[in-house]
Amino acid sequence: MRKKIIAANWKMNMTVGEAEAFLDTFLLELGDESGVDVVIVPPFTALAKVGERLSNSSTVKLGAQNMAFEKSGAFTGEISAAMLRDLYVRYVVLGHSERRTLFGETDAIVNKKVRAAHEASLKPILCVGETLAERDADRVEEVLETQLRGSLADMSSKEIVETVIAYEPVWAIGTGRVATPEQAQAAHAFIRKTIAMIADQAVADKVRIQYGGSVKPDNAKTLLGQPDIDGALVGGASLDPRAFVEIVKAGASIEA
Ligand code: PEP
């Protein structure tokens, strides 16, 4: 059985004060919910404070939005895995489509980051997904397979099991245009089949695959109810503590 995992990707939003105000409401409304794993992914500048506030929670963990693959040295502006560990970060989002398109991250770069994260005992949330042009050209499976094979290269079965995959169709991110449950389920089933080819069926059965792309309180339950959808990576709606609690509770209400 795969425990659902719901993550809040705040992107370049939230000052430390705003993050604290979010947590005041979110943690109160969440109560003692423990049926799902929750990850809050603030910008780097709010990691320390958010981590402090989450230190007593067994349900809500801390995540980072990116990470360098190098261990240390002359890489101005970069943040290493050890620096994240220092702040009690447990998860790190890697290969988000915004990083791939705006900052030129290739599958080879993402692969180096995913492997560096595992080396430091951080759990990667690896994002994959097709653009609208690729979907229209009927290339969804080809794109997903290329991204998965490239990003998961040279990794052990244990490392793959401990990687969370986020299927994020680029055309659904921040657009309000959500994939239908059928489109999302088909892509997730394909991702699981591909993991079985890269590793084996036992690994594929254990890997958690999140859906991301305009998840909101009113569509979360249907999406999270699909057999191969094990969670959600939420952008816009995760900035509102009440909306994000509703999404978390939708996940918790579904038997995996
Ligand atoms: C994201 O940034 O990962 C995302 C899915 O954003 P949104 O929920 O706003 O589409």
Side-chain angles (χ1 to χ4, degrees):
M1 193 170 117
R2 300 181 295 265
K3 191 173 186 183
K4 296 221 185 294
I5 176 164
I6 317 282
N9 175 17
W10 286 353
K11 313 194 189 197
M12 199 174 71
N13 295 293
M14 296 276 198
T15 61
V16 173
E18 288 164 346
E20 288 205 90
F22 174 99
L23 291 175
D24 288 342
T25 307
F26 176 71
L27 293 173
L28 190 71
E29 304 255 333
L30 184 69
D32 59 2
E33 182 62 70
S34 63
V36 286
D37 290 330
V38 179
V39 188
I40 302 285
V41 189
F44 290 128
T45 47
L47 281 173
K49 181 54 80 181
V50 173
E52 218 175 88
R53 293 286 303 273
L54 301 181
S55 59
N56 291 326
S57 176
S58 55
T59 299
V60 191
K61 302 284 182 246
L62 187 62
Q65 297 179 17
N66 184 27
M67 191 195 88
F69 56 77
E70 302 90 351
K71 286 195 166 68
S72 64
F75 302 103
T76 302
E78 293 291 293
I79 304 279
S80 72
M83 291 168 185
L84 297 180
R85 287 294 309 229
D86 219 17
L87 298 177
Y88 305 100
V89 170
R90 305 282 287 276
Y91 291 85
V92 58
V93 174
L94 295 172
H96 191 281
S97 68
E98 287 151 17
R99 299 234 41 105
R100 289 176 186 266
T101 48
L102 302 174
F103 301 98
E105 291 195 12
T106 60
D107 288 331
I109 292 173
V110 175
N111 176 245
K112 284 192 193 178
K113 293 187 174 193
V114 172
R115 284 164 46 212
H118 281 300
E119 239 178 77
S121 298
L122 287 167
K123 289 187 201 312
I125 297 178
L126 165 66
C127 304
V128 294
E130 81 287 356
T131 62
L132 189 57
E134 288 162 343
R135 175 163 284 268
D136 287 345
D138 215 10
R139 293 184 50 220
V140 176
E141 296 192 348
E142 174 203 326
V143 169
L144 292 178
E145 184 169 348
T146 302
Q147 290 178 342
L148 288 166
R149 286 192 183 277
S151 308
L152 295 173
D154 302 320
M155 282 170 53
S156 67
S157 292
K158 182 171 176 287
E159 288 171 334
I160 295 178
V161 167
E162 286 175 359
T163 302
V164 176
I165 311 286
Y167 169 61
E168 297 210 305
V170 179
W171 47 272
I173 298 177
T175 59
R177 186 179 161 187
V178 66
T180 65
E182 294 74 23
Q183 284 173 326
Q185 166 55 27
H188 282 233
F190 177 77
I191 289 169
R192 205 175 297 289
K193 193 172 106 189
T194 306
I195 304 280
M197 288 191 292
I198 293 172
D200 59 38
Q201 192 59 48
V203 169
D205 289 340
K206 286 190 202 128
V207 150
R208 293 189 290 181
I209 309 172
Q210 297 177 312
Y211 168 79
S214 298
V215 174
K216 308 279 179 232
D218 63 358
N219 59 29
K221 195 159 181 182
T222 325
L223 285 161
L224 290 164
Q226 302 302 308
D228 285 295
I229 300 188
D230 309 313
L233 181 54
V234 187
S238 76
L239 296 171
D240 173 347
R242 289 192 176 81
F244 189 57
V245 164
E246 273 191 63
I247 293 169
V248 170
K249 297 216 170 194
S253 72
I254 295 161
E255 287 279 290

